[in-house]
């Protein structure tokens, strides 16, 4: 028996240790990173409060935090009131209607979030409702109500109906009996429902992502939009503050909940809690009004911009607002594929968007773009002729797009870990670099690498060639050379020396070399992807002239240079490049290779929906193997 007791205690301690490691180790890591002077996870350059200071000056993060809290409070409050009322109705039903009603009520909980999110988005589109703060609020109330019912209904079933009847017999009115007899008994369930709804709303991403409109971002959607360039350290600081705040509140609550003083306070101050609760209502209404005024942008006649995460210097936006008096609503997305349905389905009204080459080609073919009035963009002359020629590969007559940033896809390798000089994609299959290679988690990029290595076009539609590329990718994965399929993580991992080789965008390579001089970038001899992201105006944009004013502003050399300093991606302007102070950047072959030296590189083309399905099917086979 003693031995069994020791084993049980050991297993209990081991279990707790595992829980603490997996639960708190990531949080500790996040807290440490929030005090890192460096912007990059893989490079610790000393203790600093830098990111805490910049956090409260970051309007995008502060707006996202405000929206998140207001949304959670309002949706939880409304869902709690409505859900409690519905619980009373369900509790009084007969068995069959009650079963049917509970089945219907539980649908949002049983549905996958993505199904709920897409269905709500399609509903808003079908009724021609412009999505914004109100649409997200309605969506959150919808999925929160079942959780309130789930918490309140069991408490109602436990109530002794004789107590309520006795109160009536003693002369109490129904209202008085409800407030003094019924509600105190079910209050634990009501509070649990409210807290559960608040937490679910606070943590939601998928449904918010599909139902948010112009100018609406919560913390979760803001972080997700930044994934392409990496999460900003300000987010680490904010997460640390939130965690510490909740942790301290839990400590105080747990220390006081068993004391005699608190029990006496709870017994005597029931009314006080109700007064406080009612006092919160007008505050929440005021907050919702402010939130609505801040985020509801329908028919404002200003400017709504939709861009990749961290793809434009925020100072440039402020400068434009100050110069023109035009208020800019600036939202971010994470991939072309995430942006496309928003524009295609008219789920949100944007005036200016920045897709990649192949996506612009697709949107143009589908009639989603408006022609630009070049009379309103005289500064287009500052973009070099060769880049306008480049843009003809996806915008044949240069009628719909303005080049923004461009670059290549290549190999970044650590010269301390790789002794040979790399010049071919073939190194990505070399078994001596087992578990040391990072591949892009992107169907077109991954297949592009395999197709170019095999000597084919990265825009191949030939079934046999695609089969060969798939087999090559499967061979690579099964050999164990791939450490991970990544997007933004490639930058941090390469800076930290956690991998020897990584497939990367040229702009990211330049950033990596700033923090780790042992890294070398090369475009393989077989050729690669030459890409360009350009600004376009969606058809039916409400503020087209303002969009063209913004385009003219962005084409100024000093603004393009300013953006290069911010993001280190290549700008399509010699005039802008010549303003760059640092010679190593201005003359960098990574940032500004001569286009005629990239003759073996190709621009991605839109291959059509049927071919896209083939690529996606084969990519799923690779990732699931």
């Amino acid at each position: 028996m003693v031995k069994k007791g020791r084993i049980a205690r050991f297993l209990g301690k081991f279990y707790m240790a595992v829980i603490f490691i997996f639960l708190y180790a990531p949080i500790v890591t996040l807290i440490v990173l929030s005090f890192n002077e460096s912007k990059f996870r893989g490079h610790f350059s000393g203790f600093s409060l830098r990111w805490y200071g910049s956090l409260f000056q970051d309007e995008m993060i502060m707006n996202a935090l405000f929206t998140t809290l207001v949304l959670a409070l309002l949706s939880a409050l409304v869902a709690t009131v409505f859900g409690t009322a519905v619980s009373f109705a369900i509790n009084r039903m007969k068995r069959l209607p009650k079963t049917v009603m509970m089945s219907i009520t539980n649908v949002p909980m049983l549905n996958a979030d993505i199904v709920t999110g897409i269905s709500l988005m399609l509903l808003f589109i079908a009724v021609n409702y412009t999505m914004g703060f109100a649409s997200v609020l309605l969506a959150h109330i919808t999925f929160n109500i079942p959780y309130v019912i789930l918490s309140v209904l069991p408490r109602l079933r436990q109530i002794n109906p004789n107590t309520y009847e006795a109160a009536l017999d003693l002369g109490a009115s129904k209202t008085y009996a409800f407030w003094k007899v019924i509600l105190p008994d079910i209050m634990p369930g009501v509070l649990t429902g409210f807290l559960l709804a608040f937490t679910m709303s606070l943590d939601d991403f998928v449904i918010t992502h599909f139902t948010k409109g112009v100018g609406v971002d919560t913390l979760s959607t803001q972080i997700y939009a930044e994934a392409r360039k990496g999460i900003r350290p300000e987010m680490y600081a904010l997460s640390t503050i939130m965690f510490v705040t909740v942790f301290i509140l839990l400590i105080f609550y747990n220390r006081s909940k068993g004391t005699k003083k608190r029990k006496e306070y709870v017994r005597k101050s029931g009314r006080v809690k109700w007064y406080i609760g009612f006092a919160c209502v007008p505050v929440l209404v005021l907050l919702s009004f402010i939130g609505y005024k801040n985020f509801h942008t329908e028919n404002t006649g200003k400017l709504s911009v939709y861009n990749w995460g961290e793809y434009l210097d925020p100072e440039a936006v402020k400068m434009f607002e100050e110069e023109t008096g035009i208020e800019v609503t600036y939202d971010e997305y994470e991939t072309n594929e995430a942006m496309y349905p928003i524009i295609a389905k008219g789920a949100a009204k944007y005036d200016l968007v920045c897709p990649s080459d192949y996506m612009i080609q697709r949107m143009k073919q589908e009639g989603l773009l408006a022609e630009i009035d070049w009379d309103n963009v005289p500064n287009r002359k500052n973009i070099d002729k060769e880049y306008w020629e480049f843009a003809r590969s996806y915008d044949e007559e240069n009628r719909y797009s303005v080049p923004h940033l461009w670059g290549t896809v290549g190999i970044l390798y650590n010269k301390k870990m790789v002794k040979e000089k790399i010049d071919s994609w073939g190194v990505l299959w070399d078994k001596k670099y087992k578990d040391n290679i990072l591949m892009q988690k992107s169907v077109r990029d991954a297949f592009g690498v395999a197709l170019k290595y095999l000597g084919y076009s990265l825009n191949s539609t030939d079934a046999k060639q695609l089969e060969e590329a798939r087999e090559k990718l499967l061979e690579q994965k099964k050999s164990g050379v791939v450490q991970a399929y990544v997007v933004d993580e490639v930058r941090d991992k390469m800076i930290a020396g956690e991998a020897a080789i990584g497939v990367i965008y040229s702009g990211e390579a330049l950033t990596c070399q700033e923090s780790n001089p042992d890294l070398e970038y090369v475009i393989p001899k077989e050729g690669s992807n030459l890409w360009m992201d350009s600004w376009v105006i969606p058809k039916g944009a409400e503020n087209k002239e303002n969009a063209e004013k913004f385009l003219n502003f962005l084409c100024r050399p000093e603004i393009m240079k300013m953006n290069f300093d911010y993001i280190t991606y290549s700008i399509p302007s010699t005039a802008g490049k010549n303003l760059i102070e640092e010679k190593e950047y201005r003359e960098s072959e990574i940032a500004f290779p001569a286009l005629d030296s990239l003759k073996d590189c190709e621009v991605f083309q839109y291959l059509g929906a049927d071919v896209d399905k083939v690529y996606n099917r084969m990519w799923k086979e690779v990732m699931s193997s």
Side-chain angles (χ1 to χ4, degrees):
M1 290 296 291
V2 174
K3 186 176 181 181
K4 287 183 178 180
R6 288 177 179 174
I7 293 174
R9 285 194 295 273
F10 170 78
L11 290 175
K13 291 178 180 178
F14 177 76
Y15 173 74
M16 288 301 297
V18 170
I19 291 296
F20 271 84
I21 289 172
F22 283 96
L23 185 62
Y24 290 107
I27 296 174
V28 172
T29 302
L30 183 146
I31 293 173
V32 171
L33 290 174
S34 73
F35 294 106
N36 183 9
E37 172 67 25
S38 172
K39 183 178 181 180
F40 306 110
R41 175 187 61 81
H43 179 66
F44 192 87
S45 58
F47 179 88
S48 173
L49 295 173
R50 170 187 177 186
W51 307 116
Y52 288 88
S54 61
L55 166 65
F56 295 101
Q57 298 173 6
D58 192 309
E59 291 184 9
M60 294 187 71
I61 294 180
M62 288 294 99
N63 284 338
L65 175 62
F66 175 83
T67 306
T68 302
L69 293 176
V70 170
L71 192 62
L73 285 168
L74 280 175
S75 62
L77 181 64
V78 175
T80 301
V81 173
F82 190 76
T84 301
V86 171
S87 298
F88 275 97
I90 293 175
N91 191 55
R92 296 177 65 88
M93 289 180 179
K94 293 182 179 180
R95 184 173 181 178
L96 181 59
K98 182 183 292 186
T99 303
V100 173
M101 193 64 183
M102 285 301 298
S103 299
I104 295 172
T105 301
N106 289 335
V107 167
M109 289 193 295
L110 299 175
N111 254 349
D113 281 353
I114 192 169
V115 175
T116 303
I118 292 175
S119 60
L120 285 169
M121 179 186 74
L122 294 175
L123 174 63
F124 291 130
I125 292 172
V127 299
N128 199 30
Y129 181 78
T130 302
M131 293 194 294
F133 181 82
S135 61
V136 184
L137 179 60
L138 289 171
H140 279 232
I141 292 170
T142 300
F143 73 73
N144 276 335
I145 287 173
Y147 292 99
V148 175
I149 295 174
L150 187 68
S151 301
V152 174
L153 198 57
R155 300 292 304 189
L156 282 172
R157 291 170 180 165
Q158 295 172 9
I159 291 177
N160 186 347
N162 295 328
T163 308
Y164 177 72
E165 296 296 335
L168 295 180
D169 291 342
L170 291 172
S173 67
K174 291 183 178 181
T175 303
Y176 187 86
F178 170 79
W179 286 100
K180 291 295 184 179
V181 177
I182 302 297
L183 202 53
D185 278 352
I186 66 169
M187 185 51 65
V190 173
L191 292 177
T192 300
F194 175 83
L195 293 174
L196 190 57
F198 180 82
T199 304
M200 294 297 295
S201 177
L202 200 69
D203 196 46
D204 178 73
F205 162 71
V206 176
I207 295 174
T208 305
H209 175 74
F210 284 104
T211 56
K212 75 185 187 74
V214 178
V216 180
D217 259 315
T218 62
L219 286 175
S220 60
T221 59
Q222 181 71 34
I223 291 171
Y224 188 63
E226 293 178 1
R228 183 176 185 251
K229 282 290 295 173
I231 306 303
R232 285 182 287 169
E234 289 88 348
M235 286 296 187
Y236 301 149
L238 177 61
S239 300
T240 299
I241 292 172
M242 293 175 69
F243 170 76
V244 171
T245 301
V246 172
F247 188 70
I248 291 173
L249 289 173
L250 284 174
I251 290 176
F252 276 109
Y253 175 78
N254 288 328
R255 282 177 62 87
S256 64
K257 73 175 185 178
T259 64
K260 292 182 179 180
K261 186 177 180 180
R262 180 181 181 276
K263 289 178 181 178
E264 184 68 15
Y265 171 78
V266 170
R267 186 179 68 82
K268 293 183 177 179
S269 62
R271 289 182 184 176
V272 175
K273 287 190 288 186
W274 279 107
Y275 295 150
I276 293 172
F278 280 119
C280 287
V281 174
V283 173
L284 291 174
V285 172
L286 177 61
L287 287 174
S288 68
F289 176 75
I290 295 172
Y292 182 81
K293 294 293 288 183
N294 282 344
F295 302 119
H296 185 74
T297 60
E298 183 180 3
N299 295 323
T300 58
K302 298 177 183 178
L303 180 64
S304 299
V305 180
Y306 205 25
N307 194 10
W308 296 86
E310 281 206 69
Y311 218 46
L312 184 65
D313 190 338
E315 288 302 315
V317 177
K318 291 180 182 178
M319 286 174 59
F320 175 76
E321 289 180 319
E322 291 172 0
E323 287 185 17
T324 64
I326 297 172
E327 184 179 344
V328 178
T329 300
Y330 188 87
D331 288 343
E332 297 177 336
Y333 57 86
E334 62 286 350
T335 66
N336 285 295
E337 287 66 31
M339 172 276 300
Y340 170 76
I342 301 296
I343 303 300
K345 296 182 181 299
K349 302 294 184 182
Y350 288 100
D351 304 308
L352 201 61
V353 189
C354 188
S356 299
D357 33 47
Y358 71 95
M359 185 56 71
I360 293 174
Q361 186 181 21
R362 176 180 185 178
M363 295 170 75
K364 181 171 68 70
Q365 289 178 8
E366 296 178 1
L368 297 176
L369 304 180
E371 288 191 36
I372 296 171
D373 185 348
W374 295 114
D375 291 337
N376 294 330
V377 194
N379 285 333
R380 66 174 298 205
K381 65 185 179 184
N382 296 315
I383 295 177
D384 297 351
K385 183 179 178 181
E386 59 184 326
Y387 298 106
W388 288 111
E389 289 300 318
F390 177 8
R392 289 184 184 275
S393 62
Y394 54 88
D395 182 9
E396 294 86 350
E397 299 177 1
N398 292 138
R399 294 161 58 189
Y400 298 94
S401 62
V402 175
H404 177 50
L405 297 171
W406 67 282
T408 57
V409 175
I411 293 175
L412 187 69
Y413 64 96
N414 191 315
K415 290 181 287 185
K416 285 187 175 181
M417 303 170 74
V418 178
K419 301 304 180 183
E420 62 189 303
K421 186 174 181 179
I422 292 178
D423 66 352
S424 169
W425 289 117
V427 73
L428 301 178
W429 280 264
D430 194 330
K431 293 183 180 179
K432 69 183 174 186
Y433 299 112
K434 187 171 183 178
D435 197 35
N436 241 333
I437 292 174
L438 303 172
M439 283 289 289
Q440 281 288 320
K441 192 176 182 180
S442 162
V443 55
R444 291 299 299 272
D445 284 327
F447 268 85
V449 167
L451 287 166
K452 293 302 286 186
Y453 179 49
L454 292 168
Y456 304 133
S457 167
L458 51 73
N459 291 307
S460 176
T461 60
D462 183 274
K464 185 177 179 182
Q465 293 177 4
L466 294 180
E467 290 283 352
E468 287 185 57
R470 180 192 61 182
E471 292 304 314
K472 204 67 184 170
L473 291 172
L474 285 169
E475 173 193 330
Q476 181 195 40
K477 187 175 184 183
K478 291 176 181 177
S479 70
V481 298
V482 178
Q483 182 189 110
Y485 293 89
V486 294
V487 185
D488 60 296
E489 299 97 326
V490 63
R491 180 189 61 196
D492 290 336
K493 283 179 172 288
M494 293 303 296
I495 290 174
E498 295 175 3
I501 300 169
V503 179
I504 198 169
Y505 296 105
S506 55
E508 296 285 2
L510 198 63
T511 302
C512 290
Q513 286 183 329
E514 291 178 8
S515 299
N516 188 340
D518 295 319
L519 299 175
E520 187 74 28
Y521 178 78
V522 62
I523 300 172
K525 61 186 178 182
E526 297 91 354
S528 182
N529 170 223
L530 177 61
W531 57 267
M532 180 178 281
D533 293 339
S534 298
W535 294 104
V536 298
I537 300 176
K539 196 169 186 178
E542 296 177 351
N543 306 290
K544 185 172 183 290
E545 288 188 12
N546 287 347
E548 289 164 347
K549 288 179 183 178
F550 194 50
L551 288 177
N552 194 51
F553 172 82
L554 294 174
C555 288
R556 283 160 41 178
E558 66 271 21
I559 300 302
M560 286 188 276
K561 178 264 179 187
M562 184 178 175
N563 208 44
F564 175 83
D565 290 342
Y566 179 75
I567 195 174
T568 68
Y569 271 52
S570 307
I571 54 177
S573 170
T574 300
K577 183 183 75 170
N578 290 339
L579 295 176
I580 299 171
E581 291 89 355
E582 300 88 350
K583 184 179 179 181
E584 63 270 25
Y585 292 150
R586 190 170 62 248
E587 298 181 0
S588 169
E589 293 184 3
I590 297 176
F592 301 107
L595 286 180
D596 56 10
S597 70
L598 305 174
K599 59 182 182 300
D600 294 321
C601 293
E602 299 179 73
V603 178
F604 278 132
Q605 301 288 314
Y606 174 56
L607 305 176
D610 291 338
V611 177
D612 276 355
K613 289 179 182 178
V614 175
Y615 270 89
N616 290 329
R617 174 177 57 79
M618 291 185 173
W619 178 239
K620 287 179 182 177
E621 292 172 6
V622 172
M623 295 303 290
S624 62
S625 65

